[in-house]
Amino acid sequence: MKKRILISDIAKALGISVTTVSFILNDKAKEKRISEALTKRVLDYVKKVGYKPNELAKSLRTGKTKILGLIIEDISNPFFGNIARLIESKVYEQGYRIIYCSTNNDVEKAKELIQMFYDRQVDGFIITPSDGLEDTVKQLQQNNIPVVLFDRYFPGLETDYVGADNFQGAFDASNHLCQQGYRRIGFVSLYSDQTQMKERSDGYMKAMDNNKQQSFIQKIQMDASDEEAMELLREFICENRLDAVLFSTNYLAISGLKASKKFNFTMPAVIAFDDHTVFKLVEPAITVVSQPIKDIAENLINILLLRLQGKIKATRRMVLPCELKVRESTKVKVTS
Amino acid sequence: MKKRILISDIAKALGISVTTVSFILNDKAKEKRISEALTKRVLDYVKKVGYKPNELAKSLRTGKTKILGLIIEDISNPFFGNIARLIESKVYEQGYRIIYCSTNNDVEKAKELIQMFYDRQVDGFIITPSDGLEDTVKQLQQNNIPVVLFDRYFPGLETDYVGADNFQGAFDASNHLCQQGYRRIGFVSLYSDQTQMKERSDGYMKAMDNNKQQSFIQKIQMDASDEEAMELLREFICENRLDAVLFSTNYLAISGLKASKKFNFTMPAVIAFDDHTVFKLVEPAITVVSQPIKDIAENLINILLLRLQGKIKATRRMVLPCELKVRESTKVKVTS
DNA sequence: AAATTGCGCTAAAAGGTTTTATTTACTAAT
DNA sequence: ATTAGTAAATAAAACCTTTTAGCGCAATTT
């Protein structure tokens, strides 16, 4: 267990002051008019002995930790998992690290986590806010901590935000179903005030209206068990004799598939929001509204990094287009 | 943006020394013989003003960050994602945070990440080591940093480890296939020296030997694209006219399913290592060797926490039993 | 009476950086 | 000969804790 080498060790070894070494290591040699000769000497020596500054001390002094907090709904959901992975590798290149936690849509947990991260002085946040988190986010902003929301936002709060065009996505999907000739088209959503759900719901309704179709809407409790969800879905689909269903999330669609398997009813045409491996492999493969995951991740961190550098002042709301990936589940045209 | 309150503010407000406050806050009031009256006064005041110590300063002084590094193969794989989620919530209760990164089985990236985390002075590591990471792990140990490996280990290195009984799992699965009457049973694995792969392979071979069956083994490059894997698998399954296949990972099995769909051949009986939502929904549902995810997560952090507290000295290797979850894919008995 | 012990608390050092304010030694200008 | 200016480097403060070593006093022991 060899002792860590310190900046003072370097100064001593080279017979110069700690300040000088610090300036050089922080690329302020020019600005502080350190001679090139000395600069080189220091740099060479530092490389030779493999000195790495103590990040804690650095953070304590500068107030910056170079750590970003990622608060997401559920890391084990591939949609969020993929975004997390992309974000992680992007910020990594910029010298930032992320520290993350899942909220599972529990406000209290989310609040606690944010407080925790704040106490640990993360430099900024990326958050998928659960219902009721508005005040907490506002507080962060008041404390000048950069926050970028994603997947959903608070209509009454000026925040940076990146998300998909949920309305358009749901609208296109619903329209597609109408065009394929389906007539009894259901929509499955959650009891939640989150904006993405509202937008998807609005998109569906608008399409139904435009096509002069009746709407069938079933909402599920966010904390419902898989069993409860399955039972509700069976009833919703069978009792209403639906010939198509738009699910507002991938896991709701998966519950639907499980239900059809368990209760042994044939699934009508299905479209799901957010892709998932399951949907490509199931028979028939399921049409999805796919969010531009890569774009979302990139924009999230671009905005956050600009904020951190103080390069933007106005809030940015980015809405990125979804793509309808048509697969077998909606290809069969129903002739009425 | 109100100023953060410091321990010195508290001391000043109460007219006592910083030291006293610190002792009280760190539960050393008894030990340091601070009077109960004063202790209570301080505690009350601290609660009233909502003081939270600066974790950075604390860490700088104590050398402990209360942060654990989690180095996993791929956060977007549900197997790892689930373990990560469980670990995260477990350590959270103990006042630890985790900071994680995916390696995607890239040794260089893994080394870099570990170095990075080490520089940031994480208190300990949980690592799924990629091939070639042995020396790095050894160095951590030499620097007295607790490390617990999982999913795989290095035979030549004494380390704490938690993993599943891969041999038994593969053996049981293979035996099951034999008992169901299958005669041309293939095994799909990776070109990798990782122990879990070796053990699964050994389990399969042993079962084939015991049942006097021929072995068919196909390995895939770890960095192979989905397309390459699918092509190889088609060939392997079709050319050898296999009537059953044991896949050594969930994503290999998924590639197999994709291949059968793309190239339109009927999949033989299938068993996959590690469960996945896909396997429950596909037709027929796929039998899996399921690892005890919860047990694994719990043991990982138990061991790590004990290490951190210096409560154990001998290395621990925990091998937990797998469970064969029989589903439709292997239920049909083939009469030869 | 002198020495020791126990009590309740604290001053100051330590942890390792960055940054502000200053010094020193020159050269150029008045 | 004095002043002004500049280049190159530095001492010391600051960031906020924890922890070591010790102080002053009263009670107890020798």
Side-chain angles (χ1 to χ4, degrees):
Chain A
M1 191 170 50
K2 59 172 180 284
K3 211 165 158 298
R4 265 192 139 103
I5 170 168
L6 309 180
I7 198 172
S8 53
D9 296 332
I10 294 176
K12 204 170 295 169
L14 298 178
I16 59 178
S17 85
V18 164
T19 311
T20 309
V21 179
S22 175
F23 283 153
I24 292 173
L25 288 176
N26 290 292
D27 291 326
K28 293 187 181 158
K30 286 253 163 46
E31 183 191 332
K32 298 292 179 181
R33 292 171 299 221
I34 312 288
S35 68
E36 289 199 14
L38 184 53
T39 301
K40 184 165 170 6
R41 203 153 69 90
V42 169
L43 254 26
D44 287 350
Y45 184 78
V46 162
K47 175 170 274 178
K48 190 182 118 203
V49 298
Y51 164 76
K52 296 267 181 56
N54 180 319
E55 297 291 337
L56 283 175
K58 217 166 157 159
S59 296
L60 177 60
R61 178 61 237 227
T62 61
K64 302 289 166 204
T65 54
K66 288 270 183 177
I67 294 183
L68 306 178
L70 177 58
I71 312 273
I72 52 183
E73 188 177 311
D74 177 13
I75 191 75
S76 61
N77 178 329
F79 171 67
F80 293 111
N82 274 311
I83 297 249
R85 185 167 50 87
L86 291 170
I87 290 178
E88 172 200 323
S89 65
K90 276 277 164 193
V91 302
Y92 178 78
E93 295 162 14
Q94 310 283 333
Y96 283 88
R97 304 292 156 255
I98 70 167
I99 156 169
Y100 84 97
C101 271
S102 316
T103 64
N104 302 311
N105 262 326
D106 175 342
V107 209
E108 289 315 316
K109 177 148 187 229
K111 285 185 187 169
E112 218 179 312
L113 287 170
I114 291 174
Q115 180 66 51
M116 191 78 49
F117 284 10
Y118 176 71
D119 292 341
R120 294 208 171 250
Q121 283 155 282
V122 302
D123 290 351
F125 283 92
I126 292 176
I127 303 178
T128 54
S130 20
D131 286 329
L133 207 63
E134 189 160 352
D135 286 344
T136 311
V137 170
K138 196 187 283 181
Q139 277 172 33
L140 287 174
Q141 290 185 314
Q142 283 166 354
N143 288 16
N144 263 19
I145 311 278
V147 180
V148 186
L149 303 185
F150 96 101
D151 201 48
R152 44 206 111 139
Y153 59 92
F154 299 112
L157 196 60
E158 280 266 313
T159 44
D160 291 323
Y161 160 77
V162 178
D165 191 337
N166 294 294
F167 179 89
Q168 193 68 40
F171 181 81
D172 291 349
S174 307
N175 249 339
H176 170 74
L177 288 172
C178 291
Q179 280 160 19
Q180 294 296 96
Y182 298 103
R183 287 296 166 260
R184 299 179 68 80
I185 305 171
F187 178 69
V188 177
S189 179
L190 294 171
Y191 288 108
S192 159
D193 294 329
Q194 295 174 355
T195 51
Q196 87 281 23
M197 289 303 161
K198 179 82 169 77
E199 293 165 355
R200 289 171 197 178
S201 173
D202 289 350
Y204 160 80
M205 301 262 268
K206 181 74 179 172
M208 291 305 107
D209 291 355
N210 283 6
N211 289 277
K212 306 273 184 281
Q213 295 288 320
Q214 189 187 342
S215 312
F216 301 86
I217 299 181
Q218 173 72 58
K219 294 191 179 176
I220 311 267
Q221 292 288 139
M222 279 202 300
D223 55 1
S225 72
D226 220 22
E227 273 62 39
E228 292 168 324
M230 282 159 65
E231 178 53 34
L232 277 170
L233 290 173
R234 186 198 59 74
E235 202 177 312
F236 178 57
I237 294 170
C238 298
E239 305 282 302
N240 292 307
R241 302 185 320 282
L242 301 179
D243 57 9
V245 185
L246 173 61
F247 288 93
S248 64
T249 77
N250 53 11
Y251 56 87
L252 284 171
I254 287 174
S255 291
L257 293 174
K258 284 186 186 163
S260 92
K261 186 147 191 163
K262 179 173 176 190
F263 300 121
N264 203 32
F265 62 87
T266 38
M267 202 63 175
V270 166
I271 300 185
F273 233 97
D274 299 344
D275 208 348
H276 192 291
T277 321
V278 167
F279 302 146
K280 296 175 196 156
L281 286 170
V282 122
E283 201 67 45
I286 288 177
T287 298
V288 297
V289 181
S290 165
Q291 298 194 45
I293 292 189
K294 228 178 135 189
D295 271 8
I296 292 178
E298 267 169 28
N299 281 292
L300 276 172
I301 59 159
N302 280 347
I303 294 180
L304 186 53
L305 292 178
L306 287 175
R307 274 270 174 229
L308 288 167
Q309 293 156 11
K311 285 188 186 164
I312 48 176
K313 52 271 137 242
T315 54
R316 292 205 183 169
R317 292 209 168 172
M318 297 213 61
V319 176
L320 304 168
C322 292
E323 184 193 355
L324 186 69
K325 291 191 175 164
V326 178
R327 300 205 180 105
E328 303 153 12
S329 72
T330 60
K331 268 188 183 161
V332 190
K333 173 137 185 177
V334 170
T335 49
S336 55
Chain B
M1 193 172 47
K2 60 171 178 279
K3 211 163 157 298
R4 264 191 140 102
I5 171 167
L6 308 179
I7 197 173
S8 53
D9 296 333
I10 294 176
K12 204 169 297 166
L14 298 180
I16 58 178
S17 86
V18 164
T19 311
T20 308
V21 180
S22 174
F23 283 152
I24 293 173
L25 289 175
N26 290 291
D27 291 325
K28 292 185 183 161
K30 287 256 160 48
E31 181 191 335
K32 297 294 179 180
R33 293 170 300 219
I34 311 289
S35 67
E36 288 199 14
L38 185 52
T39 301
K40 180 161 171 12
R41 202 153 70 91
V42 169
L43 254 25
D44 287 349
Y45 185 77
V46 161
K47 174 170 274 179
K48 189 182 118 202
V49 298
Y51 165 76
K52 295 270 180 54
N54 179 320
E55 296 292 334
L56 284 174
K58 214 165 159 163
S59 296
L60 177 59
R61 178 63 237 234
T62 60
K64 302 290 168 204
T65 55
K66 288 273 186 173
I67 294 184
L68 306 177
L70 175 60
I71 312 274
I72 52 182
E73 188 176 312
D74 177 13
I75 191 74
S76 61
N77 179 329
F79 171 67
F80 292 111
N82 274 311
I83 297 248
R85 184 166 51 86
L86 291 170
I87 289 178
E88 174 201 320
S89 64
K90 276 276 165 194
V91 302
Y92 177 78
E93 296 161 13
Q94 310 284 332
Y96 283 88
R97 304 291 155 254
I98 69 167
I99 156 168
Y100 84 98
C101 271
S102 316
T103 65
N104 302 312
N105 261 324
D106 174 343
V107 208
E108 290 314 317
K109 174 142 190 235
K111 284 186 186 168
E112 219 178 309
L113 287 171
I114 290 173
Q115 179 66 52
M116 190 77 46
F117 285 9
Y118 176 71
D119 292 342
R120 292 207 172 250
Q121 284 155 281
V122 302
D123 290 350
F125 283 92
I126 293 176
I127 304 178
T128 54
S130 19
D131 286 329
L133 207 64
E134 189 161 355
D135 285 346
T136 310
V137 171
K138 196 188 284 179
Q139 277 172 35
L140 287 175
Q141 290 185 312
Q142 283 165 354
N143 288 14
N144 263 16
I145 312 279
V147 180
V148 186
L149 303 185
F150 96 101
D151 201 48
R152 43 208 113 139
Y153 59 93
F154 299 111
L157 194 60
E158 280 266 314
T159 44
D160 291 323
Y161 160 77
V162 178
D165 192 337
N166 294 293
F167 178 89
Q168 193 66 38
F171 181 81
D172 291 348
S174 308
N175 250 342
H176 171 72
L177 288 172
C178 291
Q179 281 162 16
Q180 295 296 95
Y182 298 102
R183 286 298 167 258
R184 300 179 67 81
I185 304 171
F187 178 68
V188 177
S189 179
L190 294 170
Y191 287 108
S192 159
D193 294 330
Q194 296 173 356
T195 50
Q196 87 280 24
M197 290 303 161
K198 179 82 170 77
E199 292 165 356
R200 290 170 197 180
S201 173
D202 289 350
Y204 160 80
M205 302 262 269
K206 182 71 178 171
M208 292 304 108
D209 291 356
N210 283 8
N211 288 277
K212 304 273 183 280
Q213 295 288 320
Q214 188 187 343
S215 314
F216 301 86
I217 298 180
Q218 173 71 57
K219 293 191 181 177
I220 312 268
Q221 292 288 140
M222 277 202 302
D223 55 1
S225 71
D226 219 23
E227 274 63 38
E228 290 168 325
M230 281 159 64
E231 178 54 33
L232 276 170
L233 289 173
R234 185 197 59 75
E235 204 178 310
F236 177 58
I237 294 171
C238 297
E239 305 281 303
N240 291 307
R241 301 186 321 282
L242 300 179
D243 57 10
V245 186
L246 173 62
F247 288 93
S248 63
T249 77
N250 53 9
Y251 56 88
L252 284 171
I254 287 174
S255 291
L257 292 174
K258 284 187 187 164
S260 91
K261 186 145 194 169
K262 179 174 176 188
F263 299 122
N264 204 33
F265 61 88
T266 39
M267 203 61 175
V270 167
I271 300 185
F273 233 97
D274 300 341
D275 208 348
H276 192 290
T277 320
V278 167
F279 301 146
K280 296 175 198 157
L281 286 171
V282 121
E283 200 67 45
I286 288 176
T287 298
V288 296
V289 181
S290 165
Q291 298 195 46
I293 292 190
K294 226 178 138 188
D295 271 7
I296 292 178
E298 265 169 28
N299 280 291
L300 276 172
I301 61 160
N302 280 346
I303 294 181
L304 187 52
L305 291 177
L306 286 175
R307 274 270 175 229
L308 286 167
Q309 294 155 11
K311 286 190 186 163
I312 49 176
K313 52 271 135 242
T315 56
R316 293 207 182 166
R317 293 208 167 173
M318 296 214 62
V319 176
L320 304 168
C322 291
E323 182 193 354
L324 186 69
K325 291 190 176 165
V326 177
R327 302 204 180 106
E328 303 154 13
S329 74
T330 60
K331 269 188 182 161
V332 191
K333 172 137 187 175
V334 171
T335 48
S336 56

